[in-house]
Amino acid sequence: MRAYIYDNEPTDQRLPHETSPSQPISVEALNKLGVLYWNIPVEGDWEQEINKVAEERSYKNRDTINVSKEGLGDAYESKIRSFFEEHLHEDEEIRYIIEGSGFFDVRDVELDQWIRIAITPGDLLVLPAGIYHRFTLDEANNIKALRLFKDEPKWVPHPRSAETEVNPYRQQYLQSRGIPVA
């Protein structure tokens, strides 16, 4: 995993979009946003390690998603567009990368800028409920990820809007970061 400030250039979303000079972001800085990270190598018994994290964090369900042209078929283009639209969830978003690579962008709530998180096999990323984020593949156009859920598997995005600003999960997220809410 590598995190850095996103350059906001209007080019292909699958490019690295790293500022020049680079502005790296530490795991500690991600933690302050509520983003959690582990590296669990895919070589060896990664499933046992994932099970430990799942038990500690009360994740009860899981599935695997293959985000690629082959894996999504005719829905590929529309799914890629929807994943990259800024949104939040009312549940944590948990992904363990098994194959391939891509990017999660999270909105730094204090500076109102994107932080790009480059993910590769072995990365386990947890985004808190209520954080604005988006996802895209990189130029390899393929990622296989294990998705973990506290309850029944669901993926309901809430695109950023005036309505999501007052969403209770967004409000709770802001309060957890020490940001006053109206």
Side-chain angles (χ1 to χ4, degrees):
M1 184 279 300
R2 205 168 62 79
Y4 51 87
I5 300 297
Y6 182 86
D7 68 8
N8 281 322
E9 293 297 321
T11 57
D12 187 340
Q13 68 195 37
R14 298 170 310 140
L15 297 173
H17 283 278
E18 192 162 359
T19 59
S20 182
S22 180
Q23 300 175 61
I25 301 296
S26 67
V27 170
E28 294 77 22
L30 290 175
N31 289 164
K32 288 180 183 174
L33 295 173
V35 175
L36 305 177
Y37 170 77
W38 293 262
N39 181 268
I40 301 172
V42 293
E43 301 80 24
D45 193 7
W46 61 266
E47 290 179 90
Q48 181 178 347
E49 293 302 312
I50 293 294
N51 289 339
K52 287 180 192 175
V53 173
E55 186 175 328
E56 289 169 11
R57 299 192 56 79
S58 301
Y59 302 144
K60 296 176 185 78
N61 291 297
R62 60 185 74 184
D63 68 10
T64 303
I65 186 170
N66 181 2
V67 181
S68 66
K69 290 179 182 177
E70 296 77 26
L72 295 175
D74 292 340
Y76 174 78
E77 292 297 332
S78 66
K79 284 289 188 188
I80 292 300
R81 278 192 303 278
S82 73
F83 292 160
F84 199 64
E85 182 178 347
E86 184 173 7
H87 63 275
L88 62 78
H89 299 287
E90 295 180 345
D91 299 299
E92 289 183 338
E93 183 160 337
I94 306 99
R95 300 292 183 267
Y96 174 68
I97 309 309
I98 300 168
E99 298 173 5
S101 50
F103 302 107
F104 273 97
D105 297 336
V106 294
R107 175 76 66 187
D108 181 320
V109 68
E110 290 184 36
L111 302 175
D112 196 31
Q113 63 187 1
W114 286 113
I115 295 173
R116 175 150 277 195
I117 304 168
I119 50 173
T120 58
D123 290 338
L124 173 62
L125 197 62
V126 177
L127 304 181
I131 192 171
Y132 286 125
H133 66 282
R134 60 191 184 188
F135 169 79
T136 189
L137 295 172
D138 61 14
E139 292 178 285
N141 289 319
N142 178 55
I143 199 165
K144 181 178 180 181
L146 180 68
R147 303 187 305 175
L148 299 150
F149 305 92
K150 289 194 177 197
D151 296 308
E152 289 302 311
K154 65 179 180 178
W155 187 85
V156 179
H158 299 275
R160 187 173 186 173
S161 67
E163 187 175 308
T164 57
E165 287 298 319
V166 296
N167 177 296
Y169 293 89
R170 177 68 180 165
Q171 297 288 299
Q172 183 178 4
Y173 172 73
L174 293 172
Q175 288 173 340
S176 74
R177 309 281 58 91
I179 295 169
V181 294

